[in-house]
Amino acid sequence: MKRFILLITATLFFAFHIAVGSSAALDLSKELRTVPSNEAGDTVVMSNKEIVKGLRLFNTVCSQCHKGGYTKTDPNVTLGAEDLAFATPPRDNLDGIIDYMNNPTTYDGEIEIPEFHPSTKSADVFVYMRNVSQDDLRNMAGYILYEINQRPDTWGCGKVCN
């Protein structure tokens, strides 16, 4: 009987956490979820579900090197708004980030670097990219842009922020 009560308590505890976690995702404002779609300045409103999925994917695929938008391997180039905007081509929009995750290049856009940065092009080397779809890339890009909207002064700063 004691085990049965413990099992019911644990089940209710986990069910409560799932319900609370799901409802918390619904609180993301439309303003923060509105992100640039392309270089022309078009915007798109990402859904709460897309942002949450992007967060999970980012944490799985990207956060080892880009925790908080900071770049561990090259602190001079982050996932912050300015660094993405000044890249060639600009990466401060969904299309630009997705293009980079498909075929990464140096910051000046001159040299392709899929052997150094995880991408769909180098999924044979970076195995965690093998099952990443284009929708997954869009969700991760949307999450990055959402973070720029939500934390413009701290996303991508690492330990040194203004």
Side-chain angles (χ1 to χ4, degrees), residues 1-150:
M1 182 70 170
K2 192 174 184 180
R3 286 185 181 174
F4 181 70
I5 292 172
L6 219 57
L7 179 66
I8 289 174
T9 305
T11 303
L12 290 173
F13 177 78
F14 288 119
F16 173 76
H17 279 283
I18 290 170
V20 170
S22 298
S23 65
L26 299 177
D27 293 339
L28 304 176
S29 77
K30 183 178 178 180
E31 178 184 73
L32 295 176
R33 292 182 289 113
T34 302
V35 299
S37 177
N38 53 40
E39 284 186 66
D42 298 327
T43 60
V44 64
V45 179
M46 302 291 291
S47 72
N48 288 309
K49 185 177 179 181
E50 290 171 321
I51 297 295
V52 170
K53 186 171 183 184
L55 164 65
R56 289 182 184 140
L57 288 163
F58 181 88
N59 284 339
T60 301
V61 176
C62 309
S63 68
Q64 182 178 359
C65 294
H66 294 290
K67 185 175 182 177
Y70 181 74
T71 303
K72 184 190 248 183
T73 56
D74 185 357
N76 296 315
V77 181
T78 72
L79 298 180
E82 284 186 6
D83 286 345
L84 293 176
F86 293 129
T88 303
R91 305 295 188 190
D92 60 346
N93 58 75
L94 285 175
D95 291 348
I97 296 173
I98 293 168
D99 176 62
Y100 184 84
M101 289 190 285
N102 279 315
N103 187 32
T105 60
T106 53
Y107 193 69
D108 61 6
E110 296 290 321
I111 303 168
E112 293 183 4
I113 56 167
E115 64 276 1
F116 299 113
H117 192 281
S119 66
T120 57
K121 189 174 186 176
S122 59
D124 56 329
V125 176
F126 300 100
V127 294
Y128 46 89
M129 292 297 290
R130 288 184 183 162
N131 296 319
V132 176
S133 69
Q134 293 301 303
D135 282 341
D136 292 339
L137 294 180
R138 183 179 184 278
N139 292 335
M140 285 189 284
Y143 167 73
I144 291 167
L145 296 167
Y146 162 80
E147 284 292 351
I148 289 170
N149 287 343
Q150 181 184 18

Side-chain angles (χ1 to χ4, degrees), residues 148-159:
I148 289 170
N149 287 343
Q150 181 184 18
R151 303 186 292 156
D153 296 331
T154 59
W155 176 257
C157 291
K159 295 180 181 176

